[in-house]
Amino acid sequence: MNRSTTGTTDPALVPAPVRSAAVPGDGCTLDADTALAAGPGTADTERWLRATLGEALGLPLPPGTPGAPGTITLAVDPELPAEHYRLDTTEGSVRITGGDPAGVFWGAQTLRQLLGADAFRRAPIRPEGARSLPALRIEDGPRFGWRGLMLDVARHFLPKDDVLRYLDLLAAHKLNVFHFHLTDDQGWRIEIKRYPRLTEVGSWRARTKWGHRASELWDETPHGGYYTQDDIREIVAYAAARHIRVVPEIEVPGHSQAAIAAYPELGNTDVIDTSALEVWDTWGVNPNVLAPTDATLRFYEGVLEEVLDLFPVEVSPFVHLGGDECPKDQWRRSPAAQARIAELGLADEDELQSWFIRHFDDWLTARGRRLIGWDEILEGGLPGGAAVSSWRGYAGGIAAAEAGHDVVMCPEQQVYLNFREHGGPDEPMPIAYVRTLEDVYRFDPLPPGLSPEAAGHVLGTQANAWSEVMQNRARVDYQVFPRLAALAEVAWSPLPAPAERDFAAFQARMSGHYARLEALGVDYRPPGGPLPRQRRPGVLGRPLDGPPPQK
């Protein structure tokens, strides 16, 4: 690494840093002589730099002396806040100082962006390998501690390597939460050894609806798959090395037909013949829900015991138990469910669901974990320590935060990335309202009028990607990107009020960021519309006109 004053002065960083400024003096050049010095607490970033940046640019990055010329120095300074970092590229060297190991890692992500799109490839494509940087100081840190993506692998299974790839994409955008939606009516995706039929039966369906549920088309290929327990351990370890928390989701008491198909006694056997149920092959809200029995509670306690073992508290302090879209019709018709309501002295079926959730809140709390669920868990009363994923708009999140509960803001009207990005006729299987890149960029996780105390309970935000019409990795990419980059900036950067945000400047930075996404092989939606191979002509969607109703 030699001193240099050449290199880009417009790095087009995404998300935008808090402060970035040119400083007097020379910059630096990374080349074959560049060394890497890693201080205490920076081993994850050291390994990542050698394996990722080193491989991309053909740099061996041998061990060096901290602070020496020609060296990338990594250090932790507890005087900086958690996840904050300072990046200096001056006098022939690079220094990344983080408030904690995560801060150092986010600084390394910024360094990678500074080095251009080639730094996002898996092997060097330019033989010279040297990369010059101007003299800069970047001081940066996140607005929110929860910055995430929910990925639904239950409706359409993504192989393990695709999940690992998405963890890398989250890390590249300084996102630190991976919400792993593992179970639903259409598939059970996690191996539970004491209940093998959950994957033997529950992970496969005979066919799949092609398009919206009103479509007349079917894909007759059996669909399924699951992650072995060792797969899960690998995913969790891979995430932890990238300072990403994993939130496993096991749906209860609704969205459970795959589990009931595997173990019919979990359903309301006094109302329907649960032995006739199969893993669901279409979309929508399913009427088949768990029976509120002691046997069901014991079954899911057994499931969760294995889940907690696979997702250690250091990476997964939260466990998501769904709680959404649970129709109560079967409970209303079930003598056993009605007897349980009377036995517990509950007012109605909403309180019965609340009892169900409260049981597992107590169970998780006793084991050092926190329950989080979709905002329906507010109905019938919310357990004291539970947190809420506010998806049906702001209202549930506001109510929960004002009542002293922690909240993750992920309203469907703003950050559901399965919603179509454009109103044009070529959008593949268009779902719901148009949510453009600009719409996501102008989203604010803190709604107007929230009291300062309640605002302190907003942990952050995440985008949600439901996979009914996302059959494979390419379709997920198309729906998620580039809008996830906008969400990343909303979650990380100290942006002004939504109407005052400089979307034109963000677009200009995205023009450089698209080259990074292309180097990573992301099949994003181009600004000019879908490529021919990205279209799905003749497959019914469900487009909705106008702006989404705000709640």
Side-chain angles (χ1 to χ4, degrees):
M1 183 191 299
N2 302 309
R3 295 184 182 183
S4 173
T5 57
T6 63
T8 178
T9 57
D10 180 16
L13 298 176
V14 177
V18 175
R19 283 179 293 277
S20 176
V23 295
D26 294 330
C28 58
T29 298
L30 275 66
D31 57 26
D33 296 324
T34 301
L36 177 59
T42 69
D44 285 339
T45 302
E46 177 188 20
R47 285 190 290 270
W48 181 86
L49 280 168
R50 286 203 176 95
T52 303
L53 202 60
E55 286 295 315
L57 300 180
L59 305 178
L61 299 177
T65 303
T71 302
I72 301 171
T73 300
L74 310 177
V76 172
D77 179 359
E79 294 297 315
L80 289 174
E83 293 198 276
H84 287 236
Y85 69 90
R86 184 171 58 247
L87 171 62
D88 293 293
T89 59
T90 58
E91 302 303 319
S93 65
V94 174
R95 185 174 185 89
I96 302 173
T97 306
D100 58 1
V104 177
F105 185 71
W106 304 134
Q109 297 297 329
T110 297
L111 175 63
R112 187 189 194 189
Q113 289 198 15
L114 290 172
L115 292 168
D118 287 358
F120 289 79
R121 297 190 178 275
R122 295 187 182 182
I125 61 173
R126 309 194 193 285
E128 68 276 6
R131 294 294 182 275
S132 296
L133 296 172
L136 292 172
R137 164 163 282 196
I138 297 174
E139 297 175 292
D140 201 10
R143 180 186 181 194
F144 291 106
W146 186 300
R147 311 178 302 278
L149 172 70
M150 189 288 303
L151 189 59
D152 169 21
V153 297
R155 273 50 176 266
H156 280 99
F157 178 68
L158 279 180
K160 178 197 68 178
D161 284 354
D162 290 343
V163 174
L164 299 178
R165 171 180 176 268
Y166 255 84
L167 292 172
D168 281 329
L169 292 173
L170 294 187
H173 292 83
K174 299 186 176 73
L175 296 168
N176 69 343
V177 175
F178 177 57
H179 178 166
F180 204 8
H181 185 80
L182 288 162
T183 73
D184 217 293
D185 300 302
Q186 296 86 359
W188 184 284
R189 305 295 179 214
I190 178 173
E191 179 187 28
I192 302 297
K193 292 192 173 180
R194 73 186 71 185
Y195 303 127
R197 286 177 60 83
L198 286 173
T199 47
E200 290 171 359
V201 174
S203 71
W204 292 94
R205 59 179 182 261
R207 63 176 187 170
T208 300
K209 178 62 70 174
W210 181 239
H212 185 258
R213 62 180 176 269
S215 168
E216 296 181 356
L217 302 177
W218 293 88
D219 181 346
E220 298 291 345
T221 306
H223 179 85
Y226 66 92
Y227 309 103
T228 68
Q229 294 205 348
D230 281 346
D231 289 339
I232 294 291
R233 292 185 180 98
E234 181 183 356
I235 289 167
V236 170
Y238 198 84
R242 286 149 183 78
H243 301 276
I244 295 171
R245 286 176 285 163
V246 183
V247 180
E249 182 175 359
I250 306 295
E251 280 270 15
V252 296
H255 286 289
S256 296
Q257 182 160 317
I260 297 169
Y263 291 92
E265 64 271 22
L266 294 174
N268 295 282
T269 57
D270 56 347
V271 175
I272 63 164
D273 178 10
T274 56
S275 66
L277 293 178
E278 298 178 345
V279 177
W280 212 25
D281 56 13
T282 189
W283 321 123
V285 178
N286 190 296
N288 297 303
V289 303
L290 297 175
T293 65
D294 289 340
T296 299
L297 297 181
R298 300 293 88 76
F299 183 97
Y300 275 87
E301 288 172 359
V303 168
L304 290 171
E305 283 177 4
E306 296 192 26
V307 168
L308 296 193
D309 181 62
L310 295 169
F311 294 87
V313 66
E314 296 80 11
V315 183
S316 302
F318 286 90
V319 176
H320 206 293
L321 290 189
D324 61 313
E325 295 180 327
C326 178
K328 311 297 193 299
D329 292 345
Q330 289 185 358
W331 289 352
R332 292 186 185 99
R333 294 188 287 122
S334 164
Q338 292 303 309
R340 172 62 34 120
I341 289 173
E343 170 196 343
L344 296 170
L346 303 176
D348 55 22
E349 291 76 18
D350 284 343
E351 287 196 5
L352 183 60
Q353 177 169 339
S354 179
W355 163 82
F356 207 106
I357 297 297
R358 285 177 184 275
H359 173 86
F360 286 107
D361 180 66
D362 291 341
W363 192 90
L364 288 169
T365 299
R367 289 156 180 79
R369 305 297 179 101
R370 291 189 64 189
L371 182 148
I372 185 168
W374 303 109
D375 55 54
E376 284 96 330
I377 68 172
L378 290 163
E379 298 165 2
L382 186 62
V388 170
S389 301
S390 187
W391 75 273
R392 294 181 296 178
Y394 283 121
I398 291 171
E402 294 288 1
H405 296 282
D406 289 341
V407 175
V408 176
M409 288 292 188
C410 50
E412 61 175 335
Q413 300 89 343
Q414 308 286 347
V415 291
Y416 265 39
L417 300 186
N418 47 298
F419 285 19
R420 57 192 174 134
E421 188 174 342
H422 192 274
D426 290 331
E427 292 304 308
M429 303 184 200
I431 297 299
Y433 300 98
V434 172
R435 295 287 82 194
T436 66
L437 183 66
E438 182 172 1
D439 290 329
V440 176
Y441 190 68
R442 295 194 187 280
F443 164 61
D444 198 324
L446 291 180
L450 200 63
S451 71
E453 183 178 357
H457 285 288
V458 177
L459 301 176
T461 185
Q462 67 183 39
N464 295 335
W466 300 102
S467 66
E468 288 93 337
V469 298
M470 291 186 265
Q471 298 81 18
N472 52 41
R473 185 179 86 178
R475 282 289 287 123
V476 175
D477 281 0
Y478 181 89
Q479 293 297 134
V480 168
F481 286 99
R483 291 179 293 179
L484 189 64
L487 185 279
E489 184 148 312
V490 166
W492 179 276
S493 305
L495 300 176
E500 300 168 7
R501 293 176 187 174
D502 191 345
F503 179 67
F506 175 72
Q507 277 187 306
R509 283 185 286 116
M510 281 300 298
S511 66
H513 196 63
Y514 288 125
R516 300 180 189 126
L517 296 179
E518 288 164 8
L520 287 167
V522 177
D523 206 9
Y524 65 88
R525 183 191 184 279
L531 302 173
R533 62 177 168 77
Q534 294 172 321
R535 301 168 188 161
R536 298 291 184 272
V539 183
L540 186 67
R542 185 173 176 263
L544 298 175
D545 295 329
Q550 299 301 309
K551 301 177 183 178

